[in-house]
Amino acid sequence: MTAVHQFVPALLPRDATGDHTRALRDALRAAGFNSDIFVEAAHDELQAEATYFEEYPSRAQPGDILLYQLGTSSPVAEFLLGRPEPLVLDYHNVTPEEFYAGWEEHTREKVALARAQVAELAPAAVLGIADSEFNASELATLGCPATEVVPILVDLAAITADAAEADRLAKDHGRGTVWLFVGRISPNKVQHRLVAAFWLYRQMYDADARLHLVGPAVTPDYVDALDAYVAELGLTDAVRRVEGLSAGQLAAWYEDADVFVCLSEHEGFCIPLLEAMAAGTPVVALDAGAVGETLGRAGLLLDSSRPSVVAAAVDRVRCDHDLVEHLVAAGRRRLADFAAPVTAARFVDVLRRLDTERSQVA
Amino acid sequence: MTTTPSTPISAGPEDPSSGESGSDAAAIAEASRSAAVADDVAYLDQVMVEIDAEVRRRRASGDLPASLERELDELFLEFSPVGLQGKAKMRETLALIDSSAYVDIAVPTASNKAIGVYIKKTIRKMIGWYMRFIADQIIKMFWATSRMSHVLVEHVEDLEADVEAHRTPDLPVDVVVPADLAAAWWAPKAASALSAVGGRVAVGECGTGSLVEALVASGVDAYGLDPSDLALEDAIDRGADLRAESVLDHLGVVADEALAGVVLTGAVERLRPNERGQLMELVATKVAVGGTVVLHSTTPEAWARSAPPLVRDLAPGRPLHAATWAHLLGGRGFAVTETTTGGAGGALAYVATSSPDAGAVNAAIDAVNELLGGPAEYVLVAVRER
């Protein structure tokens, strides 16, 4: 029985890559493959599901395929480059270093290293699986001999909104439009452009509007600048930053929002778009990276993040109920394309074909 | 094994009672779905056009001053380390460097336990000589860095003063008269060059939008850009896809290789050198391989003779020769396939076309003008080869 073993730098609970890795392992096992997860580090909760990557050689078997969940720099990359087994990349993209230049030197160096590792791994792999065409084209440009596009495994059907959180948010909602963005507070997500658009929106359309920014504050200098900007624009009471929500709480925040606004300038897939669709929240997003590809026609896709354009688009959503119904319905249809069983079957199919091709060659 | 992303739409169940064959039913269902998708696209496109119109209406009403969005960006820069601008911020940072450029080797020895204090003090005393040696070297490096920073800041301040002394007022947008490009001598050349590109074509500084309308009428998927909202109003009301943006701003947010063609005119005569380089980089990135660039410009000589005084005095840049654009495009993977000169910018004006023998007279005027001052304009067609 062929084994497809996964390697991931860190296996974390409540994390997109961690959830994807575990779901894929389950799908592979259900399809008859042997499949284990090898890591550089694992969260305490998941220690029993992970094996330290340097222990793999003692367990290696002929015919093994190694699948690397690639989204950050790690010694695992160097390890895999030295292995004789066929290597498959599951590429989730790495933020280009220029986004961090001037903001956070150590993160800039880390992502630069990660992109250098992608450049080394791509030509060494037998196959690159990418979340999006955007990611696949990066791999192909770097010399990956073959690519397949299969989205990240995300099971939104399993998540329901936390009732207590939903009640609390409903009481606080007020009459103003609630904007939501979910993602790391980070220069590539350009939350400051969102704040600028939001400020203009309050000036021109809805003085009671509020902006919710949900996501970890991972770039301290950018977070400080963002907070100072919010204060300078007089928005301290209107902009709320939150992190550490459970999946159920997060779903409640999506459902509470009147519009999900994403002006991120670099996304390899953008799971929050799917989360917004699942919650029935209309989406307004900048067409950058893989955003347009993921969103399809299930949102207002902007070709500019100018505050005036963003504010006008959000106001259109606020005032046009037919449009909201259209976007929400389109979102639900679009979401079906990313249903976990569909995606899992595609992963298995891709890996089975690879296994068959390699068996025939052998 | 390269494939495209699949967004599978499951085929609907066949109805055995329909009397149609399975393949017919599937074809009808597929046609119905295609029509629904097309309706969907048209609906959202219409919404986006209306959003653009709303932004233009706000600008025209004065609710949205043109400078406001730039000021919002600049305000954020004041808080960002990448945007540290101005002497005050640089001096503040220097002071921070100076105050940090010291390593204290007197490690704190406080402890919750008395024995802890004794142990820490003993360790500090034992390794003091070692720490001092290391710290001296680090402090020397800090001070060298600090001195270098002072020198750099003084240089930057000198440069800023020098640049400020040469700064000219911005060229007001409204002194540039919106052009009726469809009537220009080079419009047929542009239409011919773009007739078979098979994708979206952006027309920069499109003036009244007439060239965009003419291109669309001839089957080109064209849209227009112009920094002046007012110039665009009539054509937008007629249904043309025009945006109130500069070419540089717009190309900056277009996806890579999304365009099959670009028409550049107007602004290319007035760009600063750095903006010119930026434009070339954007064109080389946003126009797909096989795509076409049509570039029209006044010749430098004709511009010096005929541009309005305000434009000549305040324009940040000057027109280039056709050969220079060919050189710049050639360095970015484009091959120039055609360069044509023309235009009536010479000393003698045309007679009205209603005049007897106007054709012959104007041809003679062209010849005389060319003898007196050379061709007034040129249009260059280039195709991206790599």
Side-chain angles (χ1 to χ4, degrees):
Chain A
M1 191 182 305
T2 302
V4 178
H5 293 305
Q6 295 186 83
F7 288 74
V8 60
L11 188 66
L12 306 172
R14 298 170 292 283
D15 166 74
T17 305
D19 293 347
H20 166 78
T21 305
R22 292 160 66 214
L24 182 54
R25 175 204 56 199
D26 295 345
L28 288 167
R29 285 178 178 175
F33 290 96
N34 282 329
S35 185
D36 287 319
I37 298 171
F38 293 86
V39 302
E40 182 189 350
H43 190 277
D44 286 350
E45 286 179 31
L46 302 177
Q47 288 289 343
E49 299 186 44
T51 306
Y52 187 56
F53 71 96
E54 288 190 343
E55 291 178 28
Y56 170 73
S58 64
R59 302 181 181 202
Q61 295 292 324
D64 282 1
I65 294 172
L66 308 186
L67 175 61
Y68 183 37
Q69 300 293 342
L70 177 52
T72 186
S73 61
S74 166
V76 175
E78 300 294 327
F79 171 82
L80 290 173
L81 282 167
R83 293 297 309 173
E85 292 84 2
L87 173 64
V88 178
L89 303 178
D90 191 0
Y91 183 45
H92 307 297
N93 212 296
V94 177
T95 306
E97 62 181 296
E98 54 265 28
F99 281 105
Y100 293 100
W103 287 107
E104 197 164 82
E105 189 55 21
H106 74 269
T107 306
R108 189 196 65 72
E109 286 174 2
K110 189 173 179 189
V111 296
L113 173 62
R115 289 191 81 87
Q117 289 186 337
V118 177
E120 273 192 278
L121 288 162
V126 294
L127 172 66
I129 301 174
D131 302 322
S132 59
E133 270 296 331
F134 177 74
N135 290 357
S137 69
E138 277 191 13
L139 285 180
T141 305
L142 292 169
C144 192
T147 58
E148 289 272 359
V149 175
V150 187
I152 192 166
L153 268 163
V154 50
D155 190 6
L156 296 170
I159 300 170
T160 52
D162 181 291
E165 187 77 350
D167 282 349
R168 196 181 61 73
L169 289 168
K171 283 177 192 155
D172 286 350
H173 190 290
R175 61 197 179 102
T177 310
V178 173
W179 295 34
L180 173 71
F181 176 68
V182 177
R184 300 185 317 272
I185 310 289
S186 169
N188 66 305
K189 308 279 184 184
V190 291
Q191 280 93 344
H192 66 279
R193 296 287 283 174
L194 198 52
V195 168
F198 175 70
W199 177 85
L200 198 62
Y201 179 76
R202 278 170 57 100
Q203 301 293 315
M204 290 172 41
Y205 299 107
D206 180 1
D208 296 320
R210 285 181 296 131
L211 169 62
H212 293 162
L213 299 173
V214 178
V218 294
T219 313
D221 281 353
Y222 183 71
V223 174
D224 290 347
L226 188 70
D227 287 346
Y229 190 47
V230 166
E232 186 71 18
L233 290 172
L235 295 173
T236 305
D237 293 336
V239 176
R240 188 169 174 193
R241 283 204 294 106
V242 186
E243 59 183 296
L245 298 176
S246 69
Q249 287 172 325
L250 180 59
W253 282 70
Y254 275 108
E255 289 181 5
D256 174 67
D258 296 301
V259 59
F260 179 81
V261 189
C262 172
L263 303 183
S264 180
E265 291 181 351
H266 184 269
E267 292 289 345
F269 182 73
C270 199
I271 290 174
L273 295 174
L274 305 191
E275 293 171 336
M277 291 179 208
T281 306
V283 175
V284 172
L286 176 69
D287 187 6
V291 167
E293 199 183 321
T294 302
L295 189 59
R297 303 295 297 185
L300 291 184
L301 203 55
L302 310 180
D303 60 10
S304 164
S305 63
R306 285 187 166 194
S308 55
V309 175
V310 178
V314 172
D315 188 59
R316 180 62 187 258
V317 168
R318 178 180 68 116
C319 298
D320 187 341
H321 297 291
D322 288 345
L323 174 62
V324 171
E325 280 182 21
H326 179 95
L327 294 179
V328 171
R332 300 231 188 271
R333 288 195 299 276
R334 181 67 179 142
L335 209 50
D337 297 334
F338 300 105
V342 175
T343 307
R346 288 171 62 190
F347 260 107
V348 169
D349 178 54
V350 167
L351 292 166
R352 202 189 295 283
R353 272 189 284 136
L354 175 69
D355 183 36
T356 305
E357 283 172 18
R358 297 197 68 80
S359 302
Q360 285 167 352
V361 171
Chain B
M1 206 159 54
T2 301
T3 62
T4 53
S6 58
T7 48
I9 303 171
S10 60
E14 291 175 10
D15 179 0
S17 65
S18 67
E20 295 164 346
S21 70
S23 60
D24 285 350
I28 290 167
E30 182 54 40
S32 167
R33 272 193 297 275
S34 298
V37 169
D39 284 350
D40 201 40
V41 170
Y43 172 60
L44 290 181
D45 284 348
Q46 181 57 33
V47 169
M48 292 310 301
V49 167
E50 288 166 11
I51 289 169
D52 278 347
E54 157 69 3
V55 173
R56 279 185 285 103
R57 188 185 66 73
R58 289 276 179 175
R59 285 195 179 132
S61 71
D63 283 359
L64 187 61
S67 59
L68 181 62
E69 291 174 294
R70 182 167 40 82
E71 286 166 6
L72 280 168
D73 282 343
E74 287 173 357
L75 181 62
F76 181 71
L77 276 181
E78 286 186 18
F79 301 112
S80 72
V82 283
L84 282 176
Q85 291 169 347
K87 293 172 188 173
K89 286 281 170 71
M90 284 194 292
R91 292 289 173 187
E92 276 175 25
T93 311
L94 271 184
L96 186 65
I97 292 172
D98 291 347
S99 64
S100 308
Y102 179 72
V103 178
D104 187 359
I105 61 164
V107 182
T109 55
S111 175
N112 292 331
K113 297 175 182 170
I115 186 71
V117 174
Y118 174 75
I119 292 171
K120 284 181 179 177
K121 281 186 176 173
T122 304
I123 292 172
R124 188 171 77 179
K125 195 170 180 181
M126 285 174 66
I127 65 170
W129 61 273
Y130 175 82
M131 295 299 291
R132 198 170 298 111
F133 178 74
I134 301 293
D136 282 350
Q137 293 176 77
I138 294 172
I139 290 169
K140 278 179 189 167
M141 189 185 75
F142 277 159
W143 279 109
T145 307
S146 171
R147 276 199 296 277
M148 187 183 71
S149 301
H150 278 269
V151 170
L152 283 174
V153 165
E154 279 159 20
H155 273 295
V156 168
E157 287 173 356
D158 289 347
L159 282 171
E160 282 179 342
D162 205 24
V163 168
E164 197 57 40
H166 291 88
R167 193 184 298 279
T168 54
D170 288 341
L171 178 66
V173 171
D174 57 5
V175 304
V176 180
V177 179
D180 179 12
L181 298 180
W185 66 270
W186 55 274
K189 291 273 179 200
S192 167
L194 296 165
S195 61
V197 293
R200 295 229 84 186
V201 173
V203 180
E205 208 147 305
C206 65
T208 61
S210 60
L211 178 59
V212 173
E213 292 176 301
L215 289 172
V216 170
S218 66
V220 179
D221 183 9
Y223 66 102
L225 311 162
D226 199 285
S228 167
D229 298 23
L230 296 176
L232 307 176
E233 292 294 341
D234 290 344
I236 290 173
D237 290 344
R238 291 194 298 272
D241 181 0
L242 308 180
R243 296 111 190 258
E245 283 184 282
S246 74
V247 181
L248 286 174
D249 283 351
H250 180 75
L251 291 182
V253 296
V254 168
D256 289 355
E257 307 215 354
L259 297 174
V262 175
V263 178
L264 300 172
T265 182
V268 291
E269 298 175 359
R270 305 184 297 276
L271 294 174
R272 293 181 175 89
N274 64 323
E275 291 174 328
R276 201 182 294 136
Q278 191 186 351
L279 177 67
M280 286 294 94
E281 287 303 322
L282 286 169
V283 166
T285 313
K286 309 301 179 182
V287 175
V289 174
T292 299
V293 172
V294 175
L295 189 149
H296 160 259
S297 173
T298 307
T299 63
E301 296 80 9
W303 189 82
R305 282 197 307 270
S306 60
L310 200 57
V311 174
R312 266 181 287 163
D313 290 345
L314 297 184
R318 302 288 180 267
L320 303 181
H321 293 94
T324 310
W325 282 115
H327 169 77
L328 293 174
L329 287 163
R332 290 167 173 83
F334 286 85
V336 174
T337 57
E338 187 180 354
T339 305
T340 311
T341 55
L348 301 179
Y350 285 140
V351 299
T353 50
S354 56
S355 303
D357 301 324
V361 173
N362 285 339
I365 286 173
D366 271 345
V368 172
N369 279 341
E370 189 156 346
L371 284 171
L372 290 176
E377 300 171 16
Y378 58 85
V379 65
L380 174 155
V381 178
V383 175
R384 186 177 166 195
E385 293 186 324
R386 54 182 164 80

